[in-house]
Amino acid sequence: MARNILNQKFKTPYNTAPFSKIKDTHFMPAFKAAIASAKMEIDTIVDTTESPTFENTIEALEFSGEQLDRISSLFFNLNSAETNDSIQKIAQKVSPLLAEFSNDITLNEALFKRIKAVYDCKSDLNLNTEQQTLLEKKYKSFARNGANLPEDKKSKLREIDKKLSQLKLKFGENVLAETNNFEMHLTQEDEVSGLPDGAKEAAKQLAESKHKDGWLFTLHYPSYIPFVTYADNRQLRKELTLAAGSKGFHGNALDNQHILLDIAKLRHERAALLGYQTHAHFVLEERMAESPEKVSSFINDLLLKAKPAAEREFKNLENFAKQLDGIDRLEKWDGAYYSEKLKQKLFSIDDEQLKPYFKLENVIDGAFAITNKLFDLEFERIDNIDTYHEDVLTYRVSNSKGDFISILYADFFPRPGKRNGAWMTSYKPQYIKNGENSRPHISIVCNFTKPTRTKPSLLTFNEVTTLFHEFGHALHGMLANTTYPSLSGTSVYWDFVELPSQIMENWCYEKEALELFAKHYETQENIPMDLVDKIKESATFHQGMQTLRQLRFGLLDMSWHAKDPSQINNVKAHEDMVFSATDLYPRTESTCMSTSFSHIFQGGYSSGYYSYKWAEVLDADAFEYFKEKGIFNPIVATKFKDYILSKGGTEKPMLLYKRFRGQEPKPDALLRRAGLIEK
Ligand SMILES: [Zn+2]
């Protein structure tokens, strides 16, 4: 049998992945072999007779399983960007194997004993900052999973973890079932009046697929959102809004009230077992925000400033609805509808006007030109490395001294095997080993409109900012300059990771930056600045109400996780109390947000919802520093590169940020950008 290419060192330019030689059938045996050899590496660490040191334990653990990491990132990246049935089947088989392997490590008591021995004498070890961070991170990954607990509490923790994973799964299944169980069947033309053709078409097709006439609407976003935004029929908007707002709140077999109460209580119990005051204290220990108190003052500070603006906007919207349709009291099912009408009236701006200025190639060149000015990076198209699809572009990234910085893959167009959305990822991390700085392989993946024979790919403004966003993440990966791979690039605290991406979006609104690339693809004319001003202005539309909404969800999240929930018995009453400070619309008795708040009860956002706004505060505050000194100011840019982009997770993000900015982030820049306070 020929040797499996995935189990060998890649003999390729820059050690890149040999995509064209990899067959799907290579993966499973390669995974098994790589897991086996990673296990052996762990055994070697544990079995050594030498006493534990930073090098023979922490560093050895950090660099173990390199081949497994490489194959995993390759495989799971392909599963997102170029998947097929066989890859999906392998993913189902391999995921439990990987979970089991990582559990084996966290539960390895002999290994933890050695780690703890190093940790307990950390102050005598003379470690540098990055080494201290690595030690802390490794130790915590065990301790936070109960490694320090006595046997009986350990098994209690396992029991809670098992229950929690079942409950979270059930919560999600119920939300999905409630979503799927509802449909609104319409047969009269006047019932769908106001809807755009595309939405009507989709609803008609859905009806046909179920052998019905007329139109079918559901609670899935692509169906629900256009309906509540455009449908003129107020009664039907109400019906759909109330259905969407009451998922998991019907007192039937799919009801989530008890499930979420159990989740909140078990999380609290788990945190208490580990010695934390609440679940939020446990989560925030590894976040830039650090504590529930800080999150709470962050939310309340923003709330104080956003609320008057939100109330003003709401009043205006209500007046507008009254003038237009004689609506006396604006209800939840009116918000999206009249907002859209008002927005149309105020800003007659559409994508078709802008698109000719944003030919994909020009936008890419623009992103390159801007990062060249800021961070001294040069991008050279190369064709001597393998890709997984012919659409994927490849670049060699270097600096002006000629140092090799990174490989960049760029994959822009939709395909059947690619999932939706846009993301940045890496095929190989950056790290320094044996004195050699091993550079990263970074990729950005998007789903932009493909060029046709007669027309190039022209991006909407939203796609332009998406490209800059992902490119910002890519810079975080490409400019990484750390010793340890698990602290490199985007491996940072969760509420810090969007700073590099979101800050890059800001350049898309600046004249000096747009002049570099926003040229009409036929006439070569620069984009007119009044168009740009309009984009900026429309971006602040209803920012008060939107900010209030985000803060409301953040408050609800913290209310479930930053206090002992054992006294809460009535989900709806608790929620109403939390929401009372942020209500704009009249309350509806039949709806409940918590019972379908999958972000926090199913996904990983518990005690983390605030981070959406947190990230915005960071990027606005950081960009304001650029604005003060000039958006291409080399000193500010170098600070951003040296103190943030290259540092990954080697230090606490607040320290990194303060070193860059000279002070902690303040919300004022965001509030100004959103038009909520005076310039
Ligand atoms: Zn992002």
Side-chain angles (χ1 to χ4, degrees):
M1 211 175 97
R3 281 186 66 192
N4 188 332
I5 185 150
L6 288 172
N7 287 137
Q8 303 165 31
K9 259 204 156 359
F10 302 151
K11 294 187 195 77
T12 48
Y14 310 99
N15 187 22
T16 47
F19 291 106
S20 65
K21 296 197 184 67
I22 302 171
K23 296 197 178 71
D24 294 351
T25 51
H26 286 143
F27 279 111
M28 207 57 204
F31 267 117
K32 285 185 177 157
I35 289 176
S37 72
K39 273 186 180 157
M40 267 162 58
E41 289 169 40
I42 304 280
D43 289 346
T44 313
I45 299 172
V46 174
D47 293 343
T48 176
T49 51
E50 290 169 34
S51 51
T53 64
F54 181 82
E55 287 73 23
N56 74 16
T57 303
I58 307 300
E59 205 166 62
L61 178 62
E62 170 71 0
F63 284 113
S64 71
E66 194 181 338
Q67 188 66 6
L68 180 60
D69 291 343
R70 194 86 207 262
I71 301 173
S72 297
S73 62
L74 225 164
F75 177 78
F76 288 104
N77 282 333
L78 285 182
N79 193 30
S80 295
E82 182 66 6
T83 195
N84 57 46
D85 287 348
S86 94
I87 288 190
Q88 282 167 9
K89 279 201 190 101
I90 298 167
Q92 278 170 16
K93 280 196 204 130
V94 83
S95 296
L97 293 184
L98 292 171
E100 193 190 310
F101 173 63
S102 98
N103 263 338
D104 283 351
I105 295 184
T106 348
L107 298 179
N108 188 328
E109 290 184 15
L111 179 61
F112 180 62
K113 221 171 136 188
R114 291 185 66 90
I115 293 171
K116 188 171 161 58
V118 181
Y119 185 80
D120 285 344
C121 60
K122 59 181 174 180
S123 44
D124 308 327
L125 296 177
N126 233 331
L127 300 176
N128 66 30
T129 309
E130 185 175 351
Q131 290 170 326
Q132 287 171 29
T133 305
L134 185 72
L135 175 57
E136 188 81 24
K137 185 172 177 166
K138 294 287 180 215
Y139 174 78
K140 282 276 158 68
S141 72
F142 287 80
R144 286 167 63 85
N145 279 301
N148 276 320
L149 296 177
E151 217 37 62
D152 57 329
K153 287 190 174 167
K154 242 184 218 165
S155 59
K156 178 83 195 143
L157 193 83
R158 301 284 156 254
E159 204 183 299
I160 294 178
D161 281 344
K162 200 169 154 202
K163 274 195 213 155
L164 270 175
S165 71
Q166 288 162 347
L167 286 167
K168 283 157 75 179
L169 203 66
K170 183 78 184 123
F171 184 95
E173 284 168 4
N174 286 350
V175 173
L176 186 64
E178 287 269 273
T179 307
N180 289 333
N181 284 350
F182 177 90
E183 51 182 46
M184 190 169 76
H185 184 207
L186 305 177
T187 51
Q188 307 296 316
E189 189 69 49
D190 64 329
E191 292 173 322
V192 293
S193 107
L195 283 173
D197 290 342
K200 272 200 267 188
E201 182 73 30
K204 196 164 199 72
Q205 275 179 19
L206 187 63
E208 277 165 12
S209 76
K210 298 197 173 177
H211 310 290
K212 291 184 174 167
D213 54 358
W215 304 268
L216 263 190
F217 293 90
T218 70
L219 298 181
H220 291 283
Y221 275 15
S223 177
Y224 164 77
I225 297 288
F227 197 91
V228 295
T229 310
Y230 297 104
D232 296 326
N233 190 314
R234 194 180 186 207
Q235 187 53 39
L236 293 173
R237 284 202 315 265
K238 177 178 178 181
E239 198 180 305
L240 204 62
T241 302
L242 293 181
S246 58
K247 283 180 277 186
F249 191 56
H250 292 122
N252 56 12
L254 302 173
D255 195 288
N256 270 337
Q257 292 175 80
H258 280 291
I259 293 179
L260 79 89
L261 281 171
D262 286 348
I263 291 176
K265 288 170 190 176
L266 283 169
R267 280 174 174 164
H268 185 73
E269 207 183 318
R270 188 186 195 278
L273 262 180
L274 291 169
Y276 296 85
Q277 207 177 322
T278 67
H279 176 68
H281 287 85
F282 170 77
V283 170
L284 292 163
E285 180 186 58
E286 298 200 325
R287 298 288 154 84
M288 184 177 180
E290 287 182 337
S291 70
E293 294 72 30
K294 199 139 187 194
V295 171
S296 160
S297 69
F298 170 78
I299 293 179
N300 286 320
D301 186 21
L302 274 179
L303 188 61
L304 205 65
K305 283 150 181 159
K307 201 175 166 187
E311 282 168 344
R312 225 166 26 238
E313 290 165 6
F314 186 78
K315 216 60 262 106
N316 283 339
L317 189 64
E318 199 162 48
N319 287 337
F320 176 71
K322 186 164 194 161
Q323 280 170 18
L324 204 66
D325 290 332
I327 302 281
D328 274 330
R329 244 172 93 127
L330 204 63
E331 301 274 0
K332 277 177 189 155
W333 42 93
D334 299 319
Y337 179 78
Y338 288 104
S339 286
E340 180 60 27
K341 290 252 178 309
L342 182 58
K343 192 173 177 185
Q344 290 299 339
K345 192 184 148 194
L346 294 175
F347 315 100
S348 52
I349 183 165
D350 72 74
D351 277 335
E352 296 311 310
Q353 267 172 290
L354 296 168
K355 275 162 76 173
Y357 296 98
F358 297 117
K359 185 169 97 165
L360 175 62
E361 288 77 2
N362 292 349
V363 179
I364 298 170
D365 287 346
F368 289 169
I370 288 165
T371 40
N372 177 265
K373 276 172 171 285
L374 291 169
F375 308 123
D376 183 35
L377 292 181
E378 290 169 9
F379 298 81
E380 179 200 347
R381 264 291 284 282
I382 52 171
D383 55 12
N384 62 339
I385 62 171
D386 250 10
T387 61
Y388 53 88
H389 189 276
E390 58 182 12
D391 280 353
V392 180
L393 308 174
T394 50
Y395 299 88
R396 181 186 192 275
V397 188
S398 56
N399 64 18
S400 60
K401 284 187 283 178
D403 303 324
F404 171 56
I405 302 289
S406 174
I407 290 294
L408 176 67
Y409 300 91
D411 177 3
F412 288 121
F413 306 121
R415 286 188 296 274
K418 198 195 262 192
R419 72 171 161 89
N420 289 332
W423 63 94
M424 164 271 183
T425 182
S426 96
Y427 282 92
K428 182 197 160 302
Q430 175 275 335
Y431 54 84
I432 300 171
K433 202 173 164 186
N434 304 326
E436 192 202 328
N437 194 332
S438 178
R439 301 305 307 169
H441 303 163
I442 302 299
S443 173
I444 51 176
V445 189
C446 306
N447 278 284
F448 297 148
T449 316
K450 237 187 147 147
T452 63
R453 214 167 293 155
T454 53
K455 223 177 189 173
S457 171
L458 301 175
L459 305 189
T460 64
F461 189 70
N462 194 23
E463 289 174 328
V464 175
T465 55
T466 298
L467 196 151
F468 272 71
H469 180 105
E470 299 311 331
F471 198 69
H473 283 307
L475 288 169
H476 207 181
M478 293 190 287
L479 286 165
N481 205 12
T482 66
T483 303
Y484 302 115
S486 77
L487 300 177
S488 175
T490 54
S491 308
V492 299
Y493 285 168
W494 216 51
D495 50 359
F496 190 58
V497 74
E498 295 299 330
L499 169 61
S501 52
Q502 288 183 187
I503 196 175
M504 286 310 294
E505 295 181 35
N506 289 284
W507 274 267
C508 302
Y509 296 89
E510 296 297 322
K511 183 168 187 281
E512 263 181 281
L514 286 166
E515 277 172 357
L516 295 171
F517 70 96
K519 290 184 170 46
H520 196 285
Y521 78 105
E522 285 168 330
T523 66
Q524 307 305 318
E525 253 175 287
N526 275 328
I527 188 166
M529 266 328 274
D530 62 316
L531 265 185
V532 180
D533 291 339
K534 259 187 174 173
I535 301 171
K536 269 193 199 175
E537 229 182 289
S538 70
T540 66
F541 179 68
H542 280 180
Q543 275 297 310
M545 292 207 296
Q546 280 179 22
T547 303
L548 196 71
R549 188 182 139 90
Q550 291 289 88
L551 295 175
R552 187 175 161 90
F553 297 165
L555 283 170
L556 184 60
D557 171 22
M558 293 311 280
S559 82
W560 285 116
H561 297 117
K563 275 191 224 74
D564 177 356
S566 58
Q567 298 310 312
I568 308 173
N569 295 309
N570 185 326
V571 173
K572 172 74 170 164
H574 170 77
E575 181 175 301
D576 281 349
M577 181 197 67
V578 174
F579 277 166
S580 61
T582 56
D583 278 333
L584 290 174
Y585 296 93
R587 262 190 211 157
T588 41
E589 281 317 306
S590 66
T591 62
C592 182
M593 163 89 195
S594 299
T595 51
S596 64
F597 202 171
S598 301
H599 263 78
I600 64 165
F601 289 117
Q602 183 198 0
Y605 272 75
S606 64
S607 316
Y609 203 89
Y610 76 90
S611 54
Y612 285 109
K613 273 288 152 213
W614 183 271
E616 283 182 50
V617 164
L618 283 186
D619 95 74
D621 186 69
F623 189 66
E624 189 150 277
Y625 191 25
F626 277 98
K627 295 263 299 186
E628 281 163 16
K629 310 279 179 197
I631 63 164
F632 292 119
N633 183 291
I635 296 166
V636 182
T638 305
K639 276 169 116 177
F640 195 69
K641 178 165 82 171
D642 291 348
Y643 298 150
I644 292 182
L645 292 175
S646 66
K647 282 283 187 289
T650 55
E651 276 185 80
K652 289 238 183 320
M654 191 60 92
L655 290 176
L656 295 179
Y657 191 84
K658 283 197 323 209
R659 210 168 291 149
F660 158 69
R661 185 65 165 108
Q663 61 194 42
E664 287 201 7
K666 287 198 255 182
D668 304 54
L670 173 67
L671 294 165
R672 269 193 290 277
R673 188 174 74 187
L676 301 180
I677 54 173
E678 291 297 310
K679 300 251 168 188

